[in-house]
Structures are given as C-alpha cells and as structure tokens.
C-alpha cells in the first residue's frame, strides 16, 4: 500500500535523532527486570528541560567547538 500511494515517512530532524539517542541511553542504563518504558517516562518527565531544542543546540555547539579545537591542535 505504501508503494501504491507513494507514501514516505517524513524526514527525521537532527534534533529528533538526538532526543531518540538520549532516550536510548536511558534504556541501556536500566537493568533488566525493570519496566523500562514506565521508568524512562518518569525520568523524562522529571527532566524535560534536558530534552529541549535549546539543550540540543548547546550540545551541538560544544561538540563543534571541541572538534574544531582538536583540528587546530593537530599539525
């Protein structure tokens, strides 16, 4: 049906990839035997400020600065 209607998933933004990655880190940090989905929802709700676009942009700037600093020190 997807091919018949020529439907495609909307493109995912770098911000969405970042959020998904952060959530994935939470899941991997939780030990087996715990309801991970419920636990992660509680963590995210308690720390919403860590998942904002502004935090994403800050992290991107830090990363870019580190990479550029390392490039300038090589050579």
């Amino acid at each position: 049906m997807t091919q018949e209607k020529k439907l495609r998933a909307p493109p995912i933004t770098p911000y969405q990839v970042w959020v998904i990655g952060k959530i994935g880190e939470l899941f991997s940090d939780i030990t087996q035997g715990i309801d991970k989905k419920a636990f992660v929802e509680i963590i995210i709700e308690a720390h919403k400020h860590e998942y904002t676009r502004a935090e994403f942009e800050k992290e991107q700037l830090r990363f870019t600065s580190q990479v550029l600093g390392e490039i300038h020190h090589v050579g």
Side-chain angles (χ1 to χ4, degrees), residues 2-27:
T2 301
Q3 290 179 343
E4 290 176 18
K5 304 274 185 192
K6 295 185 180 178
L7 299 175
R8 292 188 306 181
I12 189 166
T13 67
Y15 168 68
Q16 291 168 320
V17 171
W18 177 77
V19 170
I20 291 167
K22 287 183 72 70
I23 292 170
E25 289 173 5
L26 290 174
F27 270 91

Side-chain angles (χ1 to χ4, degrees), residues 1 3 8-9 12-13 16 18-19 23 27-28 30 36 39 47 51 55 60 63 66 68 70-71 75:
M1 181 176 145
Q3 290 179 343
R8 292 188 306 181
I12 189 166
T13 67
Q16 291 168 320
W18 177 77
V19 170
I23 292 170
F27 270 91
S28 68
I30 299 170
K36 291 184 178 193
F39 200 64
H47 300 276
Y51 297 87
E55 285 301 312
Q60 294 303 300
F63 176 76
Q66 288 174 349
L68 291 176
E70 290 174 8
I71 290 172

Side-chain angles (χ1 to χ4, degrees), residues 33-45:
I34 295 175
D35 181 3
K36 291 184 178 193
K37 183 177 181 277
F39 200 64
V40 167
E41 286 174 348
I42 291 167
I43 293 169
I44 292 170
E45 184 66 31

